[in-house]
Amino acid sequence: SSPKESIKNFEKILFVLNNTTDRVFYLTCDQAEVFLIELYAVKVLPFKQIAEKLILQIANSSHVCSFLTRNFYFEELVALSKKWGYLFKVLTGYTCGHYSLDM
């Protein structure tokens, strides 16, 4: 496909990422990285803003954690955790931090 077609496809993807409250599609960590690199290459949004939108489309917490460690510095992760609160914990698989078994 031509670069012009690629940009149109990415614009459609960005529209979905910006205008939906439902998870329309699911990605693995590697697929999200491809989207991130390609979307950043066409300079439609800043890198971290694209990354934050893609996190919500990643299929499971282990892939989210991999994506976060590959694309965010520790300080950025702390800031994102504070910004998103409990959503960040749910996405990363850490829902309460405390478990007990009653036997």
Side-chain angles (χ1 to χ4, degrees), residues 10-59:
F10 292 132
E11 286 173 348
K12 289 177 187 174
I13 292 165
L14 266 181
F15 178 80
V16 170
L17 290 175
N18 284 320
N19 297 296
T20 186
T21 55
D22 297 329
R23 297 177 112 196
V24 177
F25 57 94
Y26 302 96
L27 302 168
T28 65
C29 176
D30 293 335
Q31 291 168 333
E33 290 236 325
V34 170
F35 275 112
L36 178 61
I37 292 164
E38 295 296 327
L39 287 168
Y40 182 67
V42 295
K43 304 289 186 211
V44 289
L45 286 172
F47 185 83
K48 296 301 177 191
Q49 195 173 351
I50 297 169
E52 286 181 21
K53 291 180 180 301
L54 288 171
I55 291 167
L56 299 174
Q57 303 306 133
I58 297 177

